[in-house]
Amino acid sequence: MENLIIIGSGPAAHTAAIYAGRAKLNPLMFEGFNAGGVAAGGQLTTTTEVENYPGFPEGISGPKLMVKMREQSVKCGARIETVTIDKVDLSKRPFKVFAGSKTLETKALILATGATAKRLNIPGEEKLWQKGVSACAVCDGALPIFRNKVLVVIGGGDTAVEESTFLTKYGSKVVVLVRRDVLRASKAMQERMKQNPKLEIMWNTEAKEISGNKSVEAVKIINNKTKKETTVAAGGLFYAIGHTPNTAFLNGQLELDETGYIKTNSGTTYTSVEGVFAAGDVQDKRYRQAVTAAGTGCMAALEAEKFLSEHSS
Ligand code: FAD
Ligand code: NDP
């Protein structure tokens, strides 16, 4: 019987493993094998430089940061298996975790399986990914390649409004492509957008292709009403079309919100099942940063430790 199993491999899972390891809980982590199409280590393995994670004034590459976190988890006493968990049984304690052909029992469980940013998979995207194409303006917007360029944002939700407003600090102009003739974003956010002279919205517009040699140079767009195609000369393209939380494997056993994120009690990592804790992007659709994921990973380990000490019998 395990004390604590951690599922996931991003900053939340590793921070939880470091704290739980140091607390002598002997945690077992399942880091996944290309779970959801993302390598063990999570979303940061898909990026280049991370410049906003404290402790690295010169920046650090995303994959390297995750290798370091993994080393620290192991050093602190976590055991790590490269297996994707596709089923759990949370109906009673101890919980069951199905790992390939093995079934494990655990007294407590931390879920830190993250979320995956949605992409459009249009021509040019793969070639120019992280060379001007990004799914995180807050992470990448301040990079020199975007300075004083026309930047394109796709989406009409709160994220699109928030990120396009953020990008006006760096770009000469920000063009937001909205596929319908209304925004999904809240009224308050829409008002803020209207007052920003550097923002332009193109309604009923979708991106068809991204072009550029070494980095993004232009985006081909289409008005889906008139079918007219044009090209916008731009130095960057940011997707803000939503994320998919990695919660399908829970099979409805925990309370999720209407978009599939795990619900936690405000200010804690407690889920709807006692003894199951959730940390990182899988329960956070607002901040979605490595450092906030790490923060909630720490909270989950401390809360799991308290839970285990209270239920030691
Ligand atoms: P994730 O990083 O989402 O990792 C979870 C991982 O768990 C999954 O990827 C998978 O490998 C594994 N997993 C999933 N399901 C299972 C399963 N069933 N079994 C086993 N394993 C599983 N944030 C910043 O602060 N600074 C940045 O510069 C920055 N740049 C970014 C650039 C890009 C391109 C992207 C996409 C994101 C960026 N972010 C950045 C956001 C940051 O990566 C996330 O907020 C952070 O990684 C979330 O961490 P997490 O621990 O919740 O899990
Ligand atoms: P949303 O799902 O709310 O919005 C996604 C947007 O992308 C929609 O406008 C959608 O269009 C558009 N979209 C989706 N797929 C495509 C596609 N294939 N092509 C073009 N456009 C597409 O995601 P968000 O990330 O904006 O927000 C997620 C949640 O987080 C929301 O609940 C939001 O309120 C919350 N949030 C709150 C913030 C805050 O309060 N400060 C900040 C950020 C997020 P359509 O409308 O036509 O479906």
Side-chain angles (χ1 to χ4, degrees):
M1 162 95 71
E2 299 288 340
N3 267 327
L4 175 63
I5 287 182
I6 299 167
I7 308 178
S9 58
H14 281 298
T15 308
I18 290 163
Y19 274 77
R22 296 189 79 235
K24 303 283 177 247
L25 297 180
N26 192 25
L28 174 61
M29 175 193 276
F30 287 101
E31 66 177 354
F33 180 77
N34 222 18
V38 178
Q43 293 175 63
L44 287 184
T45 64
T46 68
T47 191
T48 49
E49 286 299 289
V50 177
E51 296 187 332
N52 53 9
Y53 196 83
F56 301 95
E58 310 304 327
I60 180 165
S61 91
K64 197 165 169 189
L65 178 59
M66 295 321 300
V67 167
K68 282 187 170 289
M69 285 195 197
R70 192 182 193 280
E71 279 171 14
Q72 197 169 348
S73 293
V74 171
K75 191 173 173 201
C76 290
R79 293 161 294 143
I80 302 182
E81 291 195 21
T82 310
V83 173
T84 300
I85 302 302
D86 43 33
K87 200 169 136 197
V88 290
D89 181 355
L90 309 179
S91 59
K92 59 178 190 308
R93 293 201 301 269
F95 306 118
K96 285 195 178 76
V97 171
F98 301 90
S101 56
K102 282 192 290 186
T103 301
L104 293 102
E105 290 191 329
T106 184
K107 294 177 194 165
L109 186 61
I110 293 178
L111 303 171
T113 47
T116 311
K118 290 183 193 160
R119 301 189 194 181
L120 287 180
N121 298 315
I122 53 177
E125 175 186 300
E126 196 57 42
K127 175 185 161 196
L128 295 166
W129 181 249
Q130 291 297 306
K131 293 179 184 135
V133 182
S134 164
C136 183
V138 177
C139 316
D140 299 330
L143 294 174
I145 56 162
F146 298 120
R147 295 282 158 95
N148 302 314
K149 302 264 178 67
V150 173
L151 304 176
V152 174
V153 173
I154 304 177
D158 283 330
T159 302
V161 174
E162 203 161 74
E163 301 210 339
S164 56
T165 307
F166 175 79
L167 288 171
T168 59
K169 287 195 229 170
Y170 306 104
S172 57
K173 177 175 145 188
V174 178
V175 179
V176 185
L177 308 184
V178 180
R179 68 178 172 181
R180 292 187 292 151
D181 58 1
V182 286
L183 292 169
R184 181 182 289 272
S186 62
K187 288 281 173 279
M189 300 280 264
Q190 295 191 28
E191 279 310 311
R192 215 191 299 166
M193 197 175 190
K194 279 185 201 152
Q195 282 155 16
N196 192 322
K198 284 173 91 180
L199 280 176
E200 180 192 331
I201 302 181
M202 295 184 81
W203 302 105
N204 301 307
T205 305
E206 295 173 39
K208 277 198 81 181
E209 188 176 343
I210 313 162
S211 56
N213 282 321
K214 292 198 176 128
S215 64
V216 171
E217 290 168 19
V219 182
K220 191 190 275 182
I221 58 174
I222 181 166
N223 181 304
N224 56 28
K225 283 266 155 67
T226 63
K227 304 294 174 212
K228 189 176 171 216
E229 289 188 12
T230 40
T231 300
V232 180
L237 175 73
F238 293 84
Y239 289 139
I241 58 173
H243 284 68
T244 308
N246 299 319
T247 49
F249 74 103
L250 296 170
N251 207 14
Q253 297 177 80
L254 277 186
E255 258 184 57
L256 307 178
D257 77 3
E258 63 293 347
T259 46
Y261 286 82
I262 298 176
K263 276 192 184 176
T264 50
N265 288 355
S266 180
T268 74
T269 64
Y270 294 114
T271 68
S272 57
V273 174
E274 201 186 10
V276 180
F277 306 87
D281 285 15
V282 74
Q283 53 84 57
D284 168 24
K285 63 183 174 197
R286 175 146 192 200
Y287 298 107
R288 296 191 286 234
Q289 295 298 298
V291 73
T292 48
T296 51
C298 160
M299 288 163 61
L302 295 177
E303 286 168 350
E305 185 185 0
K306 183 167 177 284
F307 169 82
L308 287 167
S309 68
E310 287 169 358
H311 295 79
S312 54
S313 58

